[in-house]
Amino acid sequence: MSSSPLASASAIKQLQASSVDPSAFVANPQLDAQGHLRHFLTIDGLDRALLTDILDRAEGFLSVARAPVKKVPLCRGKIIANLFFENSTRTRTTFELAAKRLSADVLNLNISTSATAKGETLLDTLRNLEAMHVDMFVVRHSDSGAAHFIARHAAPHVSVINAGDGCHSHPTQSMLDMFTIRRHKGEIAGLKVAIVGDILHSRVARSQISALNTLGAAEVRVIAPRTLIPACAPEALGVRVCHDLREGVTDCDVIIMLRLQRERMTGGFLPSEHEYFYLFGLTEKRLASAKPDAIVMHPGPINRGVEMDSEVADGPRSVILEQVSNGLAVRMAIMSTCIGAQHSAGQSPEREAARD
């Protein structure tokens, strides 16, 4: 487990002491007693119907971006706090925009200058935010399990959305990827999907694999050097492992390229970036092995000339910028679903009464 320099030592001790143990929660800690989505922490354990419902909701939010007034009132009166203990630009921006398009009030905490950085425990920070009647925490943290920890200790009226935790999970990124694939291919079911790159350190890859398997993809392949694939990948992740890029992308419908997670590497996983590109970088020539209508994706940011050629990144089969646009609609769908669960649980009147 890596530790963030921005998190207090006591917060990390609390996190380590808790360590993610799903069995310590209810059957699925993300769902309330009625089976509604209260938190969105990981794709694991969510069924196909729920994931499909989120994708369907996101379709409805796409038109908001093209409307003269880019807002809907679904979260009016709600307060959403972005707690980013790890640097982010794209994800944080899309969460903020998504919340504002739902008419919520948004708090962006500068963790580097917050009380947490001055020694306050993570739980004390949460308690203070809850006392300000915050309704939702959006959390990014370098420690795997951080979002689960916060959800476990959050007040009953607060929802938690995982915006990426360590090497564990990035569920909203995987859902926007599924949304992008579905808009191009119609259905996820039956597709052959290749995920290329740093599987070992990628929270995005783990969430993508879980979502693809849940939504019925015919085959999920992971392609990387042996040093960047977990030894247990075939059994634990339900994937086919390839160490040859041309073989791995052959007849694929979708190719997802991943960024090398240099910040999470603690040893010599690669001889050099030049050699990595020579063996695993996606070029037009290698892309020719995939199906003629195959699409190319990347969660960003791209390292051009390392993970892929600019000719591919900017080419006609690239849908990388669409992924960014779709991220807004998908995050609106997830936020509104969780806020809707609060209403279903009858928590909203209490919150309104408390505010009065």
Side-chain angles (χ1 to χ4, degrees):
M1 180 183 289
S2 61
S3 63
S4 164
L6 301 178
S8 71
S10 56
I12 298 304
K13 287 180 181 176
Q14 292 168 346
L15 197 60
Q16 291 170 332
S18 73
S19 67
V20 181
D21 178 13
S23 64
F25 301 170
V26 293
N28 189 327
Q30 304 183 90
L31 306 178
D32 64 16
Q34 290 74 42
H36 300 132
L37 190 69
R38 179 185 167 205
H39 305 298
F40 195 61
L41 309 175
T42 176
I43 298 295
D44 298 340
L46 300 182
D47 63 24
R48 186 170 182 171
L50 195 152
L51 298 187
T52 301
D53 180 65
I54 290 172
L55 298 178
D56 292 342
R57 282 173 179 254
E59 289 285 353
F61 285 124
L62 276 182
S63 60
V64 175
R66 297 188 287 269
V69 178
K70 297 178 175 56
K71 281 196 173 186
V72 292
L74 292 176
C75 292
R76 180 180 295 161
K78 299 294 181 181
I79 302 173
I80 297 175
N82 288 327
L83 308 179
F84 278 60
F85 295 85
E86 190 179 59
N87 291 334
S88 168
T89 300
R90 188 193 332 258
T91 302
R92 179 171 175 160
T93 301
T94 55
F95 267 112
E96 181 177 352
L97 269 178
K100 288 180 176 177
R101 287 186 178 179
L102 291 168
S103 301
D105 294 317
V106 181
L107 296 175
N108 288 312
L109 268 71
N110 188 346
I111 301 298
S112 63
T113 59
S114 73
T116 303
K118 298 173 184 173
E120 184 177 77
T121 70
L122 180 58
L123 284 180
D124 282 339
T125 299
L126 297 178
R127 296 290 178 259
N128 278 282
L129 289 169
E130 287 172 356
M132 299 175 200
H133 308 303
V134 168
D135 298 282
M136 177 179 286
F137 295 133
V138 177
V139 180
R140 169 169 284 198
H141 204 290
S142 59
D143 285 326
S144 298
H148 286 74
F149 173 78
I150 291 173
R152 187 177 179 183
H153 291 86
H157 63 270
V158 176
S159 295
V160 178
I161 294 182
N162 184 4
D165 62 326
C167 299
H168 174 237
S169 184
H170 197 347
T172 63
Q173 175 67 48
S174 72
M175 288 304 294
L176 75 87
D177 294 336
M178 297 306 109
F179 184 72
T180 304
I181 293 172
R182 199 177 77 161
R183 287 188 63 80
H184 279 269
K185 300 296 180 183
E187 293 288 343
I188 305 293
L191 296 179
K192 294 180 181 178
V193 181
I195 303 175
V196 185
D198 187 359
I199 309 297
L200 183 65
H201 300 98
S202 177
R203 57 195 176 202
V204 174
R206 282 166 176 72
S207 293
Q208 288 169 338
I209 291 166
S210 182
L212 287 165
N213 285 329
T214 301
L215 292 170
E219 185 178 21
V220 182
R221 305 172 189 172
V222 294
I223 307 164
R226 294 182 188 280
T227 53
L228 293 180
I229 294 182
C232 61
E235 300 80 14
L237 302 179
V239 297
R240 173 186 160 193
V241 174
C242 297
H243 301 296
D244 181 277
L245 181 60
R246 192 186 302 275
E247 174 194 341
V249 302
T250 297
D251 295 329
C252 275
D253 300 280
V254 179
I255 302 170
I256 304 175
M257 305 301 294
L258 298 176
R259 182 176 67 86
L260 290 177
Q261 308 273 308
R262 284 288 191 192
E263 70 277 16
R264 304 190 197 285
M265 295 183 185
T266 56
F269 288 86
L270 298 170
S272 70
E273 292 184 345
H274 177 76
E275 184 171 332
Y276 177 81
F277 179 73
Y278 179 75
L279 294 173
F280 293 96
L282 189 62
T283 63
E284 283 288 353
K285 186 176 181 180
R286 289 169 175 160
L287 183 56
S289 299
K291 289 183 178 177
D293 62 346
I295 58 173
V296 176
M297 307 173 70
H298 193 302
I302 305 170
N303 291 313
R304 295 171 183 262
V306 177
E307 295 130 19
M308 60 199 309
D309 218 354
S310 287
E311 192 178 11
V312 177
D314 302 325
R317 296 207 245 181
S318 170
V319 298
I320 295 169
L321 290 180
E322 287 181 48
Q323 291 174 259
V324 179
S325 298
N326 292 338
L328 275 173
V330 171
R331 284 169 177 139
M332 288 173 73
I334 293 166
M335 287 176 164
S336 61
T337 298
C338 292
I339 293 294
Q342 293 178 5
H343 282 263
S344 298
Q347 291 161 349
S348 182
E350 294 175 13
R351 302 295 302 140
E352 296 304 321
R355 286 186 177 119
D356 293 340

